[in-house]
Amino acid sequence: IVGGMFAGRLVGSALARRVAAVPLLLGALGVSLVGFAIFWASPVAWGAAAGLMVLGIGNAMHYPLGVSMALAAADGQRDRASAYSMYATAIGFGVAPVALGWVADGVGPHRAFLLMPLFIAVVIGLVVSERFPA
């Protein structure tokens, strides 16, 4: 995952100069879903590792694009938007592993990882709903 994130940041930072944040974030989320699918479906270790690499490539741009979008929408309160972004990140880092562990205790670790595409789908829904409000 870390190697994929390194590659994803290198490529993603170049793409961010040419592509708007919302489509780039949606693309990154799509890459993350593909990487997860490869990881999940692989019956061999090298296939799972390749899936994690692709997952890392997609994950690389989630945080910087999310913060960038929050700052762009801050309407003169960039410091507040930055702080809320940090709180959200901290909560995510604190809650997601505990939630995954709690679910894994009940259904096993392999099935518990199905939370990942659910989390990604929620983010896609949030990005699309913000981009195209009803």
Side-chain angles (χ1 to χ4, degrees), residues 46-62:
W46 64 265
L52 291 174
M53 179 84 158
V54 173
L55 181 64
I57 290 169
N59 288 356
M61 295 304 291
H62 297 180

Side-chain angles (χ1 to χ4, degrees), residues 26-126:
L26 290 173
L29 290 163
V31 171
S32 294
L33 281 173
V34 168
F36 178 81
I38 295 168
F39 164 73
W40 179 260
S42 179
V44 294
W46 64 265
L52 291 174
M53 179 84 158
V54 173
L55 181 64
I57 290 169
N59 288 356
M61 295 304 291
H62 297 180
Y63 176 77
L65 288 171
V67 171
S68 172
M69 292 166 59
L71 295 176
D75 195 32
Q77 296 186 7
R78 293 172 63 100
D79 55 342
R80 183 177 236 170
S82 177
Y84 283 140
S85 294
M86 296 307 118
Y87 285 132
T89 301
I91 290 168
F93 276 115
V95 171
V98 174
L100 184 62
W102 180 69
V103 172
D105 285 344
V107 301
H110 189 71
R111 288 186 24 201
F113 269 99
L114 288 174
L115 282 175
M116 300 308 295
L118 175 66
F119 291 156
I120 294 170
V122 167
V123 174
I124 289 171
L126 290 170

